[in-house]
Amino acid sequence: QAKFQFSFKYDLWPSSSHHTVYLAYSQKSLWDIYERSAPFRESNYAPEIFYTHYHSELHGQPGPGCSLFREQLGVEHESNGEESEASRSWNRIFADVQATCYGQPAYGLLGLRLWYPLGIAENRGIIRTQGYGELTAGVGIDEPALHLNGLLTVALRKGTSRHLNRGSVTVDARYRPTYQDLLGKAWRFAPYLWFQYFVGYGETLGTFDSVSSSARV
C-alpha cells in the first residue's frame, strides 16, 4: 500500500499582529497500488477552521530560546465520504498549545492538542481508541548553508479504554534539501524525503476500532 496525503492552510486574516484565523483542509488516502485495479482502500477528508495566537513576531517562526510559540482554538470535521453503514465521521472542537526551544541550527518542540467530540453516532466507540487528545514531541534542524532541513516527531494518543494498548504511536521523520540563491535567500520549494511508522488504532476512520501497524516512505 501507499499512503497519499494532500493538505493546505490559508490565512484568512493576513496581518503583522500576533493573531490570525486559518482555513485548512487535509485529504488522506490508503492506496493499494499492488492490486490489479490499484483501488483506494479508504480516503478521509478533514476541513477545519481555527484561530491562532502567536507569541513570536513572525507567524510560523519561533523566537530564539525556550518559550510558548502559539495557542490555537478551532473546529474540525472528518469523514470518509461514504454512505449508510460504511459512513464514518466525527466533529471536534479542539484547543492546542505548542512550546519550542529554538536555537541555531537545532530546535525542539512540544505540543498538546485536546478535543471534545461531537456527532459520533456513527462510531460511538471512537473515543475508546482515539481519546481526547494527542501529545507531540519533536527535534529538528534548519541550516540552509549546510543544506539541512529536517524534523523528527513522535505523536501519542491514548483512548479511554482501560487497556494500555488502546491508542496509537506515530513516528514521522522528514528531510528536504535547501539551496541558497545569489542573494543568500534559501530556496525551499523542494520535496521531502519522508518516513512514517504507525502502530495502534485509528490510522484512518475505518480502522478506529482495529489495531494495525505500517511503515511508509
Side-chain angles (χ1 to χ4, degrees):
Q1 292 178 349
K3 185 176 184 177
F4 173 84
Q5 180 169 320
F6 166 78
S7 301
F8 77 84
K9 183 173 69 174
Y10 181 73
D11 192 343
L12 297 175
W13 187 8
S15 69
S16 58
S17 72
H18 291 256
H19 311 272
T20 193
V21 176
Y22 289 109
L23 175 68
Y25 172 80
S26 290
Q27 179 175 324
K28 178 174 60 179
S29 300
L30 299 185
W31 189 9
D32 282 333
I33 59 176
Y34 297 109
E35 293 291 333
R36 177 170 297 181
S37 60
F40 281 92
R41 183 163 63 87
E42 184 178 354
S43 295
N44 291 170
Y45 313 91
E48 59 184 316
I49 186 169
F50 53 94
Y51 160 79
T52 302
H53 170 252
Y54 288 106
H55 290 263
S56 61
E57 295 299 326
L58 296 176
H59 294 183
Q61 180 65 44
C66 297
S67 63
L68 285 176
F69 173 46
R70 58 158 173 78
E71 296 92 15
Q72 295 186 147
L73 179 65
V75 59
E76 177 188 24
H77 169 78
E78 187 176 17
S79 170
N80 65 353
E82 300 290 341
E83 298 181 356
S84 303
E85 295 183 359
S87 176
R88 295 288 183 271
S89 67
W90 65 337
N91 303 302
R92 293 183 287 179
I93 299 173
F94 67 85
D96 72 37
V97 60
Q98 187 179 95
T100 59
C101 282
Y102 198 82
Q104 189 64 34
Y107 63 93
L109 62 88
L110 182 65
L112 176 64
R113 171 172 287 205
L114 302 175
W115 55 72
Y116 183 77
L118 301 168
I120 58 174
E122 296 173 337
N123 32 243
R124 295 185 181 277
I126 194 169
I127 301 304
R128 292 178 58 82
T129 60
Q130 298 301 289
Y132 291 94
E134 182 176 80
L135 179 66
T136 303
V139 292
I141 186 169
D142 187 9
E143 181 52 74
L146 299 177
H147 309 300
L148 293 176
N149 179 257
L151 178 65
L152 173 67
T153 61
V154 179
L156 305 174
R157 293 186 182 184
K158 172 65 178 73
T160 60
S161 171
R162 295 181 180 180
H163 298 283
L164 292 178
N165 66 341
R166 296 298 193 273
S168 65
V169 178
T170 305
V171 179
D172 271 294
R174 63 188 187 188
Y175 161 78
R176 65 176 172 181
T178 57
Y179 304 94
Q180 289 186 329
D181 60 22
L182 297 178
L183 299 177
K185 296 182 179 180
W187 178 69
R188 297 177 179 274
F189 191 73
Y192 279 102
L193 298 175
W194 172 75
F195 170 83
Q196 182 187 79
Y197 176 74
F198 174 90
V199 61
Y201 290 78
E203 185 175 21
T204 63
L205 284 176
T207 60
F208 79 87
D209 57 352
S210 60
V211 66
S212 62
S213 63
S214 62
R216 293 184 170 92
V217 177

